PDB file of all heavy atoms in Angstrom:
ATOM      1  N   GLU A   1      57.680  -3.872 -24.523  1.00  0.00           N
ATOM      2  CA  GLU A   1      58.173  -2.562 -23.887  1.00  0.00           C
ATOM      3  C   GLU A   1      56.990  -1.660 -23.550  1.00  0.00           C
ATOM      4  O   GLU A   1      56.076  -1.434 -24.343  1.00  0.00           O
ATOM      5  CB  GLU A   1      59.026  -1.813 -24.905  1.00  0.00           C
ATOM      6  CG  GLU A   1      59.807  -0.707 -24.388  1.00  0.00           C
ATOM      7  CD  GLU A   1      60.724  -0.163 -25.538  1.00  0.00           C
ATOM      8  OE1 GLU A   1      60.632  -0.478 -26.730  1.00  0.00           O
ATOM      9  OE2 GLU A   1      61.586   0.697 -25.191  1.00  0.00           O
ATOM     10  N   THR A   2      56.970  -1.176 -22.341  1.00  0.00           N
ATOM     11  CA  THR A   2      55.909  -0.337 -21.848  1.00  0.00           C
ATOM     12  C   THR A   2      56.248   1.147 -22.050  1.00  0.00           C
ATOM     13  O   THR A   2      57.438   1.449 -22.186  1.00  0.00           O
ATOM     14  CB  THR A   2      55.572  -0.551 -20.343  1.00  0.00           C
ATOM     15  OG1 THR A   2      56.659  -0.020 -19.570  1.00  0.00           O
ATOM     16  CG2 THR A   2      55.268  -2.042 -20.072  1.00  0.00           C
ATOM     17  N   PRO A   3      55.251   2.011 -22.157  1.00  0.00           N
ATOM     18  CA  PRO A   3      55.516   3.461 -22.283  1.00  0.00           C
ATOM     19  C   PRO A   3      56.065   4.023 -20.920  1.00  0.00           C
ATOM     20  O   PRO A   3      56.434   5.202 -20.936  1.00  0.00           O
ATOM     21  CB  PRO A   3      54.239   4.038 -22.640  1.00  0.00           C
ATOM     22  CG  PRO A   3      53.247   3.106 -22.105  1.00  0.00           C
ATOM     23  CD  PRO A   3      53.777   1.740 -22.167  1.00  0.00           C
ATOM     24  N   PHE A   4      56.050   3.159 -19.837  1.00  0.00           N
ATOM     25  CA  PHE A   4      56.451   3.627 -18.537  1.00  0.00           C
ATOM     26  C   PHE A   4      57.978   3.560 -18.338  1.00  0.00           C
ATOM     27  O   PHE A   4      58.602   2.731 -19.092  1.00  0.00           O
ATOM     28  CB  PHE A   4      55.781   2.831 -17.440  1.00  0.00           C
ATOM     29  CG  PHE A   4      54.246   2.871 -17.624  1.00  0.00           C
ATOM     30  CD1 PHE A   4      53.566   1.710 -17.959  1.00  0.00           C
ATOM     31  CD2 PHE A   4      53.520   4.048 -17.492  1.00  0.00           C
ATOM     32  CE1 PHE A   4      52.278   1.728 -18.130  1.00  0.00           C
ATOM     33  CE2 PHE A   4      52.178   4.075 -17.675  1.00  0.00           C
ATOM     34  CZ  PHE A   4      51.474   2.781 -17.958  1.00  0.00           C
ATOM     35  N   SER A   5      58.505   4.297 -17.541  1.00  0.00           N
ATOM     36  CA  SER A   5      60.023   4.179 -17.236  1.00  0.00           C
ATOM     37  C   SER A   5      60.273   4.285 -15.800  1.00  0.00           C
ATOM     38  O   SER A   5      59.339   4.863 -15.071  1.00  0.00           O
ATOM     39  CB  SER A   5      60.816   5.151 -18.068  1.00  0.00           C
ATOM     40  OG  SER A   5      60.303   6.541 -17.700  1.00  0.00           O
ATOM     41  N   SER A   6      61.383   3.878 -15.292  1.00  0.00           N
ATOM     42  CA  SER A   6      61.790   4.082 -13.958  1.00  0.00           C
ATOM     43  C   SER A   6      63.073   4.970 -13.947  1.00  0.00           C
ATOM     44  O   SER A   6      63.660   5.153 -15.141  1.00  0.00           O
ATOM     45  CB  SER A   6      62.101   2.880 -13.242  1.00  0.00           C
ATOM     46  OG  SER A   6      63.214   2.160 -13.787  1.00  0.00           O
ATOM     47  N   ILE A   7      63.397   5.527 -12.925  1.00  0.00           N
ATOM     48  CA  ILE A   7      64.566   6.357 -12.924  1.00  0.00           C
ATOM     49  C   ILE A   7      65.737   5.570 -12.382  1.00  0.00           C
ATOM     50  O   ILE A   7      65.656   5.086 -11.286  1.00  0.00           O
ATOM     51  CB  ILE A   7      64.312   7.693 -12.073  1.00  0.00           C
ATOM     52  CG1 ILE A   7      63.133   8.431 -12.773  1.00  0.00           C
ATOM     53  CG2 ILE A   7      65.540   8.498 -11.899  1.00  0.00           C
ATOM     54  CD1 ILE A   7      62.709   9.672 -11.948  1.00  0.00           C
ATOM     55  N   ASP A   8      66.859   5.589 -13.072  1.00  0.00           N
ATOM     56  CA  ASP A   8      68.127   5.077 -12.647  1.00  0.00           C
ATOM     57  C   ASP A   8      68.892   6.140 -11.800  1.00  0.00           C
ATOM     58  O   ASP A   8      69.233   7.151 -12.388  1.00  0.00           O
ATOM     59  CB  ASP A   8      69.056   4.684 -13.859  1.00  0.00           C
ATOM     60  CG  ASP A   8      70.235   4.153 -13.566  1.00  0.00           C
ATOM     61  OD1 ASP A   8      70.696   4.128 -12.259  1.00  0.00           O
ATOM     62  OD2 ASP A   8      71.032   3.749 -14.419  1.00  0.00           O
ATOM     63  N   THR A   9      68.887   5.937 -10.447  1.00  0.00           N
ATOM     64  CA  THR A   9      69.351   7.060  -9.689  1.00  0.00           C
ATOM     65  C   THR A   9      70.802   7.194  -9.853  1.00  0.00           C
ATOM     66  O   THR A   9      71.288   8.297  -9.679  1.00  0.00           O
ATOM     67  CB  THR A   9      69.075   6.625  -8.177  1.00  0.00           C
ATOM     68  OG1 THR A   9      69.443   5.422  -7.899  1.00  0.00           O
ATOM     69  CG2 THR A   9      67.547   6.730  -7.890  1.00  0.00           C
ATOM     70  N   GLN A  10      71.569   6.185 -10.138  1.00  0.00           N
ATOM     71  CA  GLN A  10      73.083   6.355 -10.431  1.00  0.00           C
ATOM     72  C   GLN A  10      73.385   7.221 -11.605  1.00  0.00           C
ATOM     73  O   GLN A  10      74.116   8.111 -11.528  1.00  0.00           O
ATOM     74  CB  GLN A  10      73.762   5.020 -10.477  1.00  0.00           C
ATOM     75  CG  GLN A  10      73.649   4.270  -9.285  1.00  0.00           C
ATOM     76  CD  GLN A  10      74.380   2.817  -9.426  1.00  0.00           C
ATOM     77  OE1 GLN A  10      74.357   2.311 -10.483  1.00  0.00           O
ATOM     78  NE2 GLN A  10      74.863   2.300  -8.303  1.00  0.00           N
ATOM     79  N   ASN A  11      72.703   7.008 -12.667  1.00  0.00           N
ATOM     80  CA  ASN A  11      72.896   7.671 -14.029  1.00  0.00           C
ATOM     81  C   ASN A  11      71.941   8.836 -14.245  1.00  0.00           C
ATOM     82  O   ASN A  11      72.107   9.593 -15.125  1.00  0.00           O
ATOM     83  CB  ASN A  11      72.833   6.650 -15.155  1.00  0.00           C
ATOM     84  CG  ASN A  11      73.947   5.662 -15.046  1.00  0.00           C
ATOM     85  OD1 ASN A  11      74.996   5.891 -14.548  1.00  0.00           O
ATOM     86  ND2 ASN A  11      73.634   4.402 -15.490  1.00  0.00           N
ATOM     87  N   ARG A  12      70.965   8.950 -13.264  1.00  0.00           N
ATOM     88  CA  ARG A  12      69.982   9.971 -13.471  1.00  0.00           C
ATOM     89  C   ARG A  12      69.285   9.989 -14.842  1.00  0.00           C
ATOM     90  O   ARG A  12      69.325  11.076 -15.525  1.00  0.00           O
ATOM     91  CB  ARG A  12      70.585  11.333 -13.177  1.00  0.00           C
ATOM     92  CG  ARG A  12      70.934  11.382 -11.637  1.00  0.00           C
ATOM     93  CD  ARG A  12      71.517  12.715 -11.344  1.00  0.00           C
ATOM     94  NE  ARG A  12      72.072  12.783  -9.957  1.00  0.00           N
ATOM     95  CZ  ARG A  12      71.498  13.502  -9.036  1.00  0.00           C
ATOM     96  NH1 ARG A  12      70.299  14.171  -9.179  1.00  0.00           N
ATOM     97  NH2 ARG A  12      72.060  13.355  -7.806  1.00  0.00           N
ATOM     98  N   GLN A  13      68.800   8.790 -15.313  1.00  0.00           N
ATOM     99  CA  GLN A  13      68.149   8.782 -16.472  1.00  0.00           C
ATOM    100  C   GLN A  13      66.987   7.811 -16.443  1.00  0.00           C
ATOM    101  O   GLN A  13      66.913   6.942 -15.460  1.00  0.00           O
ATOM    102  CB  GLN A  13      69.140   8.230 -17.530  1.00  0.00           C
ATOM    103  CG  GLN A  13      69.523   6.785 -17.475  1.00  0.00           C
ATOM    104  CD  GLN A  13      70.631   6.452 -18.423  1.00  0.00           C
ATOM    105  OE1 GLN A  13      71.404   7.297 -18.992  1.00  0.00           O
ATOM    106  NE2 GLN A  13      70.716   5.248 -18.704  1.00  0.00           N
ATOM    107  N   HIS A  14      66.064   8.022 -17.359  1.00  0.00           N
ATOM    108  CA  HIS A  14      64.940   7.079 -17.376  1.00  0.00           C
ATOM    109  C   HIS A  14      65.150   5.777 -18.123  1.00  0.00           C
ATOM    110  O   HIS A  14      65.967   5.743 -19.031  1.00  0.00           O
ATOM    111  CB  HIS A  14      63.722   7.767 -18.153  1.00  0.00           C
ATOM    112  CG  HIS A  14      63.139   8.937 -17.251  1.00  0.00           C
ATOM    113  ND1 HIS A  14      62.159   8.748 -16.273  1.00  0.00           N
ATOM    114  CD2 HIS A  14      63.396  10.181 -17.358  1.00  0.00           C
ATOM    115  CE1 HIS A  14      61.925   9.895 -15.798  1.00  0.00           C
ATOM    116  NE2 HIS A  14      62.605  10.810 -16.262  1.00  0.00           N
ATOM    117  N   THR A  15      64.691   4.721 -17.654  1.00  0.00           N
ATOM    118  CA  THR A  15      64.862   3.506 -18.237  1.00  0.00           C
ATOM    119  C   THR A  15      63.538   2.832 -18.571  1.00  0.00           C
ATOM    120  O   THR A  15      62.707   2.846 -17.724  1.00  0.00           O
ATOM    121  CB  THR A  15      65.722   2.505 -17.274  1.00  0.00           C
ATOM    122  OG1 THR A  15      66.681   3.170 -16.538  1.00  0.00           O
ATOM    123  CG2 THR A  15      66.371   1.396 -18.050  1.00  0.00           C
ATOM    124  N   LYS A  16      63.331   2.314 -19.718  1.00  0.00           N
ATOM    125  CA  LYS A  16      62.063   1.644 -20.183  1.00  0.00           C
ATOM    126  C   LYS A  16      61.777   0.522 -19.158  1.00  0.00           C
ATOM    127  O   LYS A  16      62.690  -0.275 -18.841  1.00  0.00           O
ATOM    128  CB  LYS A  16      62.225   1.245 -21.653  1.00  0.00           C
ATOM    129  CG  LYS A  16      62.251   2.388 -22.597  1.00  0.00           C
ATOM    130  CD  LYS A  16      60.836   2.997 -22.589  1.00  0.00           C
ATOM    131  CE  LYS A  16      60.865   4.125 -23.696  1.00  0.00           C
ATOM    132  NZ  LYS A  16      59.628   4.570 -24.019  1.00  0.00           N
ATOM    133  N   LEU A  17      60.485   0.198 -19.044  1.00  0.00           N
ATOM    134  CA  LEU A  17      60.094  -1.035 -18.313  1.00  0.00           C
ATOM    135  C   LEU A  17      59.528  -2.026 -19.372  1.00  0.00           C
ATOM    136  O   LEU A  17      58.914  -1.658 -20.345  1.00  0.00           O
ATOM    137  CB  LEU A  17      59.025  -0.611 -17.342  1.00  0.00           C
ATOM    138  CG  LEU A  17      59.485   0.255 -16.143  1.00  0.00           C
ATOM    139  CD1 LEU A  17      58.301   0.693 -15.298  1.00  0.00           C
ATOM    140  CD2 LEU A  17      60.614  -0.465 -15.270  1.00  0.00           C
ATOM    141  N   TRP A  18      59.723  -3.280 -19.146  1.00  0.00           N
ATOM    142  CA  TRP A  18      59.297  -4.311 -19.960  1.00  0.00           C
ATOM    143  C   TRP A  18      58.368  -5.240 -19.098  1.00  0.00           C
ATOM    144  O   TRP A  18      58.553  -5.431 -17.949  1.00  0.00           O
ATOM    145  CB  TRP A  18      60.458  -5.152 -20.434  1.00  0.00           C
ATOM    146  CG  TRP A  18      61.315  -4.571 -21.372  1.00  0.00           C
ATOM    147  CD1 TRP A  18      62.188  -3.447 -21.333  1.00  0.00           C
ATOM    148  CD2 TRP A  18      61.307  -4.766 -22.850  1.00  0.00           C
ATOM    149  NE1 TRP A  18      62.722  -3.133 -22.538  1.00  0.00           N
ATOM    150  CE2 TRP A  18      62.140  -3.911 -23.483  1.00  0.00           C
ATOM    151  CE3 TRP A  18      60.663  -5.755 -23.631  1.00  0.00           C
ATOM    152  CZ2 TRP A  18      62.343  -3.962 -24.836  1.00  0.00           C
ATOM    153  CZ3 TRP A  18      60.896  -5.775 -25.017  1.00  0.00           C
ATOM    154  CH2 TRP A  18      61.754  -4.843 -25.677  1.00  0.00           C
ATOM    155  N   MET A  19      57.330  -5.799 -19.782  1.00  0.00           N
ATOM    156  CA  MET A  19      56.451  -6.580 -19.098  1.00  0.00           C
ATOM    157  C   MET A  19      56.355  -7.996 -19.869  1.00  0.00           C
ATOM    158  O   MET A  19      56.274  -8.006 -21.088  1.00  0.00           O
ATOM    159  CB  MET A  19      55.000  -5.959 -19.069  1.00  0.00           C
ATOM    160  CG  MET A  19      53.883  -6.762 -18.520  1.00  0.00           C
ATOM    161  SD  MET A  19      54.135  -6.912 -16.650  1.00  0.00           S
ATOM    162  CE  MET A  19      53.186  -5.406 -16.309  1.00  0.00           C
ATOM    163  N   SER A  20      56.359  -9.021 -19.091  1.00  0.00           N
ATOM    164  CA  SER A  20      56.222 -10.405 -19.615  1.00  0.00           C
ATOM    165  C   SER A  20      54.823 -10.829 -19.615  1.00  0.00           C
ATOM    166  O   SER A  20      54.092 -10.666 -18.657  1.00  0.00           O
ATOM    167  CB  SER A  20      57.136 -11.356 -18.734  1.00  0.00           C
ATOM    168  OG  SER A  20      56.684 -12.709 -18.943  1.00  0.00           O
ATOM    169  N   PHE A  21      54.292 -11.366 -20.671  1.00  0.00           N
ATOM    170  CA  PHE A  21      52.948 -11.888 -20.713  1.00  0.00           C
ATOM    171  C   PHE A  21      52.789 -13.089 -19.894  1.00  0.00           C
ATOM    172  O   PHE A  21      51.710 -13.428 -19.272  1.00  0.00           O
ATOM    173  CB  PHE A  21      52.548 -12.308 -22.230  1.00  0.00           C
ATOM    174  CG  PHE A  21      51.878 -11.146 -22.861  1.00  0.00           C
ATOM    175  CD1 PHE A  21      52.601 -10.297 -23.753  1.00  0.00           C
ATOM    176  CD2 PHE A  21      50.537 -10.971 -22.797  1.00  0.00           C
ATOM    177  CE1 PHE A  21      51.933  -9.364 -24.491  1.00  0.00           C
ATOM    178  CE2 PHE A  21      49.944  -9.905 -23.386  1.00  0.00           C
ATOM    179  CZ  PHE A  21      50.670  -9.125 -24.305  1.00  0.00           C
ATOM    180  N   ILE A  22      53.934 -13.836 -19.713  1.00  0.00           N
ATOM    181  CA  ILE A  22      53.805 -15.286 -18.922  1.00  0.00           C
ATOM    182  C   ILE A  22      53.826 -14.969 -17.492  1.00  0.00           C
ATOM    183  O   ILE A  22      52.987 -15.433 -16.756  1.00  0.00           O
ATOM    184  CB  ILE A  22      55.002 -16.114 -19.462  1.00  0.00           C
ATOM    185  CG1 ILE A  22      54.896 -16.415 -20.912  1.00  0.00           C
ATOM    186  CG2 ILE A  22      54.952 -17.343 -18.716  1.00  0.00           C
ATOM    187  CD1 ILE A  22      53.617 -17.004 -21.511  1.00  0.00           C
ATOM    188  N   ASP A  23      54.806 -14.255 -17.071  1.00  0.00           N
ATOM    189  CA  ASP A  23      54.875 -14.202 -15.553  1.00  0.00           C
ATOM    190  C   ASP A  23      54.349 -12.906 -15.050  1.00  0.00           C
ATOM    191  O   ASP A  23      54.167 -12.699 -13.748  1.00  0.00           O
ATOM    192  CB  ASP A  23      56.368 -14.440 -15.035  1.00  0.00           C
ATOM    193  CG  ASP A  23      57.390 -13.477 -15.556  1.00  0.00           C
ATOM    194  OD1 ASP A  23      57.042 -12.371 -15.991  1.00  0.00           O
ATOM    195  OD2 ASP A  23      58.570 -13.842 -15.536  1.00  0.00           O
ATOM    196  N   GLY A  24      53.955 -11.862 -15.962  1.00  0.00           N
ATOM    197  CA  GLY A  24      53.449 -10.638 -15.424  1.00  0.00           C
ATOM    198  C   GLY A  24      54.405  -9.770 -14.713  1.00  0.00           C
ATOM    199  O   GLY A  24      53.982  -8.767 -14.124  1.00  0.00           O
ATOM    200  N   VAL A  25      55.576 -10.031 -14.798  1.00  0.00           N
ATOM    201  CA  VAL A  25      56.718  -9.267 -14.026  1.00  0.00           C
ATOM    202  C   VAL A  25      57.123  -8.078 -14.902  1.00  0.00           C
ATOM    203  O   VAL A  25      57.387  -8.327 -16.118  1.00  0.00           O
ATOM    204  CB  VAL A  25      57.849 -10.159 -13.583  1.00  0.00           C
ATOM    205  CG1 VAL A  25      58.937  -9.215 -13.045  1.00  0.00           C
ATOM    206  CG2 VAL A  25      57.435 -11.168 -12.699  1.00  0.00           C
ATOM    207  N   GLN A  26      57.125  -6.936 -14.358  1.00  0.00           N
ATOM    208  CA  GLN A  26      57.712  -5.752 -15.050  1.00  0.00           C
ATOM    209  C   GLN A  26      59.123  -5.529 -14.535  1.00  0.00           C
ATOM    210  O   GLN A  26      59.321  -5.608 -13.346  1.00  0.00           O
ATOM    211  CB  GLN A  26      56.781  -4.594 -14.638  1.00  0.00           C
ATOM    212  CG  GLN A  26      56.949  -3.311 -15.557  1.00  0.00           C
ATOM    213  CD  GLN A  26      55.825  -2.275 -15.294  1.00  0.00           C
ATOM    214  OE1 GLN A  26      55.720  -1.925 -14.095  1.00  0.00           O
ATOM    215  NE2 GLN A  26      55.310  -1.758 -16.268  1.00  0.00           N
ATOM    216  N   HIS A  27      59.979  -5.306 -15.448  1.00  0.00           N
ATOM    217  CA  HIS A  27      61.368  -5.149 -15.117  1.00  0.00           C
ATOM    218  C   HIS A  27      62.053  -4.089 -15.970  1.00  0.00           C
ATOM    219  O   HIS A  27      61.584  -3.694 -16.985  1.00  0.00           O
ATOM    220  CB  HIS A  27      62.219  -6.465 -15.169  1.00  0.00           C
ATOM    221  CG  HIS A  27      62.206  -7.067 -16.589  1.00  0.00           C
ATOM    222  ND1 HIS A  27      63.012  -6.695 -17.526  1.00  0.00           N
ATOM    223  CD2 HIS A  27      61.488  -7.953 -17.086  1.00  0.00           C
ATOM    224  CE1 HIS A  27      62.930  -7.330 -18.640  1.00  0.00           C
ATOM    225  NE2 HIS A  27      61.887  -8.207 -18.420  1.00  0.00           N
ATOM    226  N   THR A  28      63.202  -3.574 -15.431  1.00  0.00           N
ATOM    227  CA  THR A  28      63.965  -2.602 -16.125  1.00  0.00           C
ATOM    228  C   THR A  28      65.179  -3.351 -16.908  1.00  0.00           C
ATOM    229  O   THR A  28      65.320  -4.457 -16.658  1.00  0.00           O
ATOM    230  CB  THR A  28      64.445  -1.440 -15.199  1.00  0.00           C
ATOM    231  OG1 THR A  28      65.495  -2.079 -14.345  1.00  0.00           O
ATOM    232  CG2 THR A  28      63.333  -0.820 -14.541  1.00  0.00           C
ATOM    233  N   LEU A  29      65.840  -2.572 -17.690  1.00  0.00           N
ATOM    234  CA  LEU A  29      67.095  -3.107 -18.227  1.00  0.00           C
ATOM    235  C   LEU A  29      68.352  -2.453 -17.629  1.00  0.00           C
ATOM    236  O   LEU A  29      69.357  -2.283 -18.281  1.00  0.00           O
ATOM    237  CB  LEU A  29      67.074  -2.814 -19.817  1.00  0.00           C
ATOM    238  CG  LEU A  29      65.933  -3.104 -20.541  1.00  0.00           C
ATOM    239  CD1 LEU A  29      65.901  -2.717 -21.957  1.00  0.00           C
ATOM    240  CD2 LEU A  29      65.713  -4.600 -20.504  1.00  0.00           C
ATOM    241  N   LEU A  30      68.270  -2.235 -16.324  1.00  0.00           N
ATOM    242  CA  LEU A  30      69.395  -1.607 -15.622  1.00  0.00           C
ATOM    243  C   LEU A  30      70.580  -2.510 -15.439  1.00  0.00           C
ATOM    244  O   LEU A  30      71.798  -2.022 -15.608  1.00  0.00           O
ATOM    245  CB  LEU A  30      68.912  -1.136 -14.230  1.00  0.00           C
ATOM    246  CG  LEU A  30      67.910  -0.003 -14.208  1.00  0.00           C
ATOM    247  CD1 LEU A  30      67.562   0.289 -12.813  1.00  0.00           C
ATOM    248  CD2 LEU A  30      68.468   1.241 -15.056  1.00  0.00           C
ATOM    249  N   ASP A  31      70.530  -3.712 -15.197  1.00  0.00           N
ATOM    250  CA  ASP A  31      71.637  -4.672 -14.880  1.00  0.00           C
ATOM    251  C   ASP A  31      72.027  -5.262 -16.124  1.00  0.00           C
ATOM    252  O   ASP A  31      71.405  -5.361 -17.193  1.00  0.00           O
ATOM    253  CB  ASP A  31      71.429  -5.591 -13.829  1.00  0.00           C
ATOM    254  CG  ASP A  31      70.234  -6.541 -14.102  1.00  0.00           C
ATOM    255  OD1 ASP A  31      70.110  -6.952 -15.263  1.00  0.00           O
ATOM    256  OD2 ASP A  31      69.582  -6.934 -13.165  1.00  0.00           O
ATOM    257  N   GLU A  32      73.319  -5.617 -16.205  1.00  0.00           N
ATOM    258  CA  GLU A  32      73.988  -6.234 -17.351  1.00  0.00           C
ATOM    259  C   GLU A  32      73.247  -7.448 -17.827  1.00  0.00           C
ATOM    260  O   GLU A  32      73.159  -7.770 -19.087  1.00  0.00           O
ATOM    261  CB  GLU A  32      75.411  -6.618 -17.047  1.00  0.00           C
ATOM    262  CG  GLU A  32      76.351  -5.491 -16.806  1.00  0.00           C
ATOM    263  CD  GLU A  32      76.644  -4.697 -18.144  1.00  0.00           C
ATOM    264  OE1 GLU A  32      76.842  -5.282 -19.197  1.00  0.00           O
ATOM    265  OE2 GLU A  32      76.545  -3.425 -17.998  1.00  0.00           O
ATOM    266  N   SER A  33      72.673  -8.323 -16.999  1.00  0.00           N
ATOM    267  CA  SER A  33      72.042  -9.437 -17.381  1.00  0.00           C
ATOM    268  C   SER A  33      70.738  -9.397 -18.118  1.00  0.00           C
ATOM    269  O   SER A  33      70.337 -10.121 -18.868  1.00  0.00           O
ATOM    270  CB  SER A  33      71.727 -10.396 -16.138  1.00  0.00           C
ATOM    271  OG  SER A  33      70.797  -9.697 -15.232  1.00  0.00           O
ATOM    272  N   ARG A  34      70.184  -8.127 -17.960  1.00  0.00           N
ATOM    273  CA  ARG A  34      69.003  -7.756 -18.763  1.00  0.00           C
ATOM    274  C   ARG A  34      69.179  -6.878 -19.922  1.00  0.00           C
ATOM    275  O   ARG A  34      68.284  -6.306 -20.496  1.00  0.00           O
ATOM    276  CB  ARG A  34      67.981  -7.201 -17.773  1.00  0.00           C
ATOM    277  CG  ARG A  34      67.389  -8.107 -16.780  1.00  0.00           C
ATOM    278  CD  ARG A  34      65.991  -7.795 -16.383  1.00  0.00           C
ATOM    279  NE  ARG A  34      65.488  -8.575 -15.407  1.00  0.00           N
ATOM    280  CZ  ARG A  34      64.758  -9.658 -15.675  1.00  0.00           C
ATOM    281  NH1 ARG A  34      64.412 -10.067 -16.907  1.00  0.00           N
ATOM    282  NH2 ARG A  34      64.251 -10.357 -14.629  1.00  0.00           N
ATOM    283  N   CYS A  35      70.464  -6.516 -20.227  1.00  0.00           N
ATOM    284  CA  CYS A  35      70.785  -5.703 -21.363  1.00  0.00           C
ATOM    285  C   CYS A  35      70.287  -6.378 -22.609  1.00  0.00           C
ATOM    286  O   CYS A  35      70.442  -7.495 -22.844  1.00  0.00           O
ATOM    287  CB  CYS A  35      72.318  -5.567 -21.467  1.00  0.00           C
ATOM    288  SG  CYS A  35      72.740  -4.478 -22.932  1.00  0.00           S
ATOM    289  N   LYS A  36      69.485  -5.533 -23.434  1.00  0.00           N
ATOM    290  CA  LYS A  36      68.995  -6.082 -24.685  1.00  0.00           C
ATOM    291  C   LYS A  36      69.810  -5.584 -25.915  1.00  0.00           C
ATOM    292  O   LYS A  36      69.897  -4.355 -26.195  1.00  0.00           O
ATOM    293  CB  LYS A  36      67.553  -5.500 -24.780  1.00  0.00           C
ATOM    294  CG  LYS A  36      66.598  -5.898 -23.707  1.00  0.00           C
ATOM    295  CD  LYS A  36      66.124  -7.337 -23.779  1.00  0.00           C
ATOM    296  CE  LYS A  36      65.177  -7.524 -22.808  1.00  0.00           C
ATOM    297  NZ  LYS A  36      64.638  -8.860 -22.755  1.00  0.00           N
ATOM    298  N   CYS A  37      70.571  -6.512 -26.498  1.00  0.00           N
ATOM    299  CA  CYS A  37      71.371  -6.215 -27.634  1.00  0.00           C
ATOM    300  C   CYS A  37      71.074  -7.288 -28.735  1.00  0.00           C
ATOM    301  O   CYS A  37      71.157  -8.494 -28.485  1.00  0.00           O
ATOM    302  CB  CYS A  37      72.851  -6.191 -27.388  1.00  0.00           C
ATOM    303  SG  CYS A  37      73.824  -5.754 -28.725  1.00  0.00           S
ATOM    304  N   TYR A  38      70.583  -6.864 -29.893  1.00  0.00           N
ATOM    305  CA  TYR A  38      70.200  -7.637 -30.923  1.00  0.00           C
ATOM    306  C   TYR A  38      71.072  -7.417 -32.240  1.00  0.00           C
ATOM    307  O   TYR A  38      71.780  -6.454 -32.296  1.00  0.00           O
ATOM    308  CB  TYR A  38      68.738  -7.448 -31.312  1.00  0.00           C
ATOM    309  CG  TYR A  38      67.816  -7.548 -30.129  1.00  0.00           C
ATOM    310  CD1 TYR A  38      67.526  -6.374 -29.239  1.00  0.00           C
ATOM    311  CD2 TYR A  38      67.155  -8.708 -29.711  1.00  0.00           C
ATOM    312  CE1 TYR A  38      66.733  -6.414 -28.243  1.00  0.00           C
ATOM    313  CE2 TYR A  38      66.274  -8.729 -28.659  1.00  0.00           C
ATOM    314  CZ  TYR A  38      66.205  -7.638 -27.900  1.00  0.00           C
ATOM    315  OH  TYR A  38      65.274  -7.552 -26.788  1.00  0.00           O
TER     316      TYR A  38
END
């Protein structure tokens, strides 16, 4: 989890960005498929 965030324009809130060590892709948890629940 990075200290950076993006803005969800629909909900007007900040969302954390995650970075993968393997593919180097940074993504948000905005869509259902990326929801993190443990």
Side-chain angles (χ1 to χ4, degrees):
E1 186 179 17
T2 70
F4 308 111
S5 62
S6 69
I7 298 175
D8 176 358
T9 53
Q10 290 179 334
N11 298 327
R12 295 181 185 248
Q13 65 185 28
H14 288 275
T15 322
K16 292 286 185 168
L17 293 175
W18 287 74
M19 178 71 87
S20 166
F21 269 97
I22 301 301
D23 60 23
V25 173
Q26 197 172 47
H27 59 83
T28 64
L29 304 178
L30 293 177
D31 59 35
E32 292 291 320
S33 65
R34 292 213 182 264
C35 178
K36 302 281 186 181
C37 184
Y38 307 87

